[in-house]
Amino acid sequence: MDIKLIDRTLALSNLIGQAGLAYVEANSDLQVTTWNPAAASIFGYSEDEAMGRPLYELLPISREELVGCRTTCVLGEAELSRGSQRFQCDIHYAPIMNTKGKKLGVAVLVKDISEQVRDRRNFRQQEQSLKDIFGFAPIGIYQVSPDGQVVYANPEYAWMLGYETADAVIDQITDFPSQTFYDRKKANEFLFRMREADEVNRFRSRLKRKDGSWVWVLNYAKALKDDTGRPGGFNGFAVNISETVRTEQEIKKANERLQMLSVIDGL
């Protein structure tokens, strides 16, 4: 055999081993003939135990599929077993052909992806938990893109603005300052604070509702940045303080009446 070909084969074998990939070869009778250390780790069989075993007994691939294999095939997130343990793997298998086009066997690469699958499941669970929290949160939560488009809104924020659903807010509010602030001066002040400090805290304003009415809120917002540090919009929270403002106004009116009564009594 060509020395260079041997060197390349050894180098490839080392790379496969370093990547933690199980490499298995089977002959034309689908009996295992090659079994690297990673295969022993993934399948739980030593090289001696694996030699001569039918390949289709080790993989979730039928004998007919392996016999009929003529091109590289991929089986993603396949479930394998190692004793009583079950785990997920990505499996790539391809025919081994000679220079005359005759099929000599099948080569298989197997990668254990159990950890990645677990991470994805955990991420999806966390994502769903956040959606549940935002969906039932008693404060308005939203996100605005750099061009002023509302790209996320929870149901409470939709209610504050007088829309039936959060999707309606996302679809219809394309100019955040003019469509959500009742007072233009307040909208300009909000945007100025965002530009200067990248955040807004306890900013009192009136939100414009779809029907033309308003609701008093405390605004909180934090700028988002992309990987280069450029502005990427902002996340915002709105706390409904309409009852608080109404109470403040009633107290103010009551104090004014008391002051007027005290003047009349003095006269």
Side-chain angles (χ1 to χ4, degrees):
M1 183 181 288
D2 190 330
I3 297 298
K4 288 185 177 180
L5 180 59
I6 294 176
D7 289 341
R8 289 174 183 172
T9 302
L10 289 174
L12 180 60
S13 176
N14 287 333
L15 286 174
I16 290 172
Q18 289 295 321
L21 297 173
Y23 180 70
V24 181
E25 287 184 9
N27 59 24
S28 58
D29 294 325
L30 298 180
Q31 295 174 321
V32 173
T33 57
T34 300
W35 191 261
N36 74 343
S41 175
I42 288 177
F43 289 95
Y45 295 110
S46 67
E47 185 177 7
D48 290 339
E49 292 172 327
M51 289 298 104
R53 280 181 177 266
L55 185 60
Y56 48 84
E57 291 184 0
L58 299 169
L59 303 173
I61 305 170
S62 69
R63 183 179 186 280
E64 290 72 21
E65 287 175 302
L66 292 171
V67 170
C69 172
R70 288 293 181 271
T71 60
T72 300
C73 301
V74 180
L75 186 60
E77 291 193 24
E79 189 171 75
L80 298 181
S81 59
R82 183 170 49 234
S84 60
Q85 181 185 5
R86 304 192 73 80
F87 57 99
Q88 288 75 35
C89 287
D90 280 344
I91 301 173
H92 295 68
Y93 59 103
I96 300 172
M97 312 292 287
N98 66 13
T99 55
K100 296 181 180 180
K102 181 181 178 181
K103 184 177 177 181
L104 304 179
V106 178
V108 182
L109 278 175
V110 181
K111 182 179 181 180
D112 186 344
I113 60 168
S114 300
E115 187 173 344
Q116 293 94 313
V117 170
R118 268 194 308 273
D119 289 343
R120 285 199 294 269
R121 286 174 181 169
N122 290 337
F123 177 78
R124 285 195 292 267
Q125 289 173 354
Q126 292 171 4
E127 187 177 39
Q128 186 58 50
S129 295
L130 286 175
K131 285 182 179 179
D132 292 342
I133 291 171
F134 290 161
F136 289 100
I139 62 174
I141 304 172
Y142 59 92
Q143 186 179 103
V144 179
S145 68
D147 59 359
Q149 168 84 45
V150 173
V151 294
Y152 174 81
N154 73 337
E156 180 68 13
Y157 191 64
W159 177 86
M160 286 182 180
L161 295 176
Y163 291 84
E164 292 183 357
T165 65
D167 287 339
V169 173
I170 295 169
D171 290 338
Q172 298 179 41
I173 297 185
T174 57
D175 186 354
F176 175 79
S178 66
Q179 289 181 266
T180 60
F181 284 92
Y182 192 83
D183 305 295
R184 185 63 191 179
K185 184 178 178 181
K186 283 290 187 179
N188 292 335
E189 185 180 349
F190 178 92
L191 294 176
F192 175 79
R193 291 192 185 188
M194 285 299 300
R195 285 193 297 269
E196 293 298 308
D198 286 340
E199 64 180 24
V200 170
N201 289 302
R202 299 185 62 81
F203 182 77
R204 181 181 287 204
S205 72
R206 290 184 293 180
L207 289 186
K208 183 193 300 182
R209 306 191 84 233
K210 188 178 181 181
D211 61 5
S213 61
W214 71 79
V215 57
W216 282 99
V217 298
L218 279 181
N219 296 281
Y220 298 80
K222 182 71 175 178
L224 297 171
K225 304 283 186 179
D226 64 17
D227 294 338
T228 64
R230 291 180 298 183
F234 57 87
N235 288 324
F237 301 88
V239 182
N240 190 341
I241 58 168
S242 296
E243 289 298 326
T244 301
V245 172
R246 189 175 297 112
T247 301
E248 290 174 350
Q249 291 172 343
E250 290 173 356
I251 291 173
K252 181 180 179 182
K253 289 179 182 178
N255 286 333
E256 289 174 350
R257 285 197 298 269
L258 287 173
Q259 187 176 5
M260 184 174 65
L261 288 174
S262 66
V263 171
I264 293 173
D265 287 346
L267 293 174

